[in-house]
Amino acid sequence: MRRIFGSLFLCLTAVVAFVLPTSTAHAAGPRPVIFVHGYTGNATNWTTALSSFASGGYSSSQLFTFDYDFNQSNKISAAQLGTFVDQVRARTGADKVDIVNHSMGGLVTRWYVKQLGGNTKVAHWASLAGANHGTTYAGACLIYPSCQEMYPGSSFLATLNSGDETPGTTSYRTWLSPCDGVILPYTSTAVSGGTNTTVACQTHIGFLTDLVVLAQVRSYLST
């Protein structure tokens, strides 16, 4: 009976650690990675990415997903991300984390990095089809603050993209594609001062399961 309960405890601990470790540990190996979804997304968007990173040498205790209310202001989501980053750093013992984002997650994470001092805590920022300069597609959901901020010409985007778009010592890289179909124009993903990689033809959602791109992201984070 003791063996059975012991096995159950180990399994439960592994599941919890996948989301957020419950005990403090000193960082070893790759930095913790936080995956941030986009509009209408959630943690399940990263299933393929998590598997790809695990097969590439990351342990479950180094991989985290950040969920947020995608209809609220991206500023609120960015502040919540900041709290989450501090929790991950405290519980893993890492000085800095890496962030991988998709779509509107680019706005949430960049606001945190640029406006809330996150550049001192983020080593690498990787954006897959990020709405970094907005998208006209957001016109379909303008009743929500997040979409108002994501629409080209918003005061949010004006602030986010004024001055240095890639501040601090954080390394910035984006992946974009003319076949995106959601980030319009697709060149909106690129950030000045970062490394911008154009993928020949990938759909907006397709980036989430593109094993070639995910391998490139892993390689980038290892630098």
Side-chain angles (χ1 to χ4, degrees):
M1 182 64 71
R2 180 177 300 174
R3 181 177 299 174
I4 293 175
F5 279 116
S7 298
L8 287 174
F9 175 78
L10 289 175
C11 291
L12 179 59
T13 301
V15 171
V16 173
F18 179 75
V19 179
L20 191 65
T22 56
S23 60
T24 301
H26 293 291
R31 280 177 298 273
V33 180
I34 299 175
F35 296 88
V36 183
H37 64 75
Y39 190 73
T40 74
N42 56 53
T44 63
N45 289 168
W46 299 109
T47 299
T48 300
L50 293 171
S51 176
S52 174
F53 273 64
S55 64
Y58 284 80
S59 69
S60 61
S61 62
Q62 296 168 314
L63 303 174
F64 305 84
T65 56
F66 172 68
D67 268 326
Y68 61 97
D69 179 354
F70 47 76
N71 286 321
Q72 68 186 2
S73 169
N74 292 296
K75 297 179 182 179
I76 296 175
S77 299
Q80 294 171 342
L81 172 62
T83 298
F84 189 77
V85 168
D86 287 341
Q87 291 173 346
V88 169
R89 291 172 58 241
R91 299 192 184 199
T92 62
D95 290 332
K96 294 185 177 183
V97 301
D98 291 331
I99 287 180
V100 179
N101 65 81
H102 177 249
S103 195
M104 194 175 73
L107 302 184
V108 174
T109 57
R110 280 187 66 221
W111 190 271
Y112 164 65
V113 171
K114 182 176 180 179
Q115 302 299 124
L116 304 182
N119 62 79
T120 63
K121 303 174 184 179
V122 177
H124 295 79
W125 177 88
S127 186
L128 306 181
N132 299 312
H133 290 85
T135 172
T136 57
Y137 204 86
C141 55
L142 289 178
I143 61 173
Y144 299 113
S146 60
C147 289
Q148 294 169 16
E149 295 167 349
M150 187 163 53
Y151 196 78
S154 70
S155 59
F156 176 91
L157 290 173
T159 299
L160 183 62
N161 294 308
S162 64
D164 188 358
E165 293 187 13
T166 53
T169 58
T170 301
S171 176
Y172 301 79
R173 184 171 176 180
T174 73
W175 282 259
L176 59 154
S177 173
C179 297
D180 187 302
V182 173
I183 303 302
L184 304 173
Y186 79 93
T187 51
S188 171
T189 293
V191 293
S192 178
T195 299
N196 302 296
T197 304
T198 300
V199 179
C201 193
Q202 184 54 274
T203 64
H204 189 66
I205 298 300
F207 271 105
L208 293 169
T209 55
D210 189 322
L211 294 177
V212 173
V213 170
L214 291 173
Q216 292 175 357
V217 174
R218 287 201 323 268
S219 178
Y220 165 62
L221 299 187
S222 70
T223 60

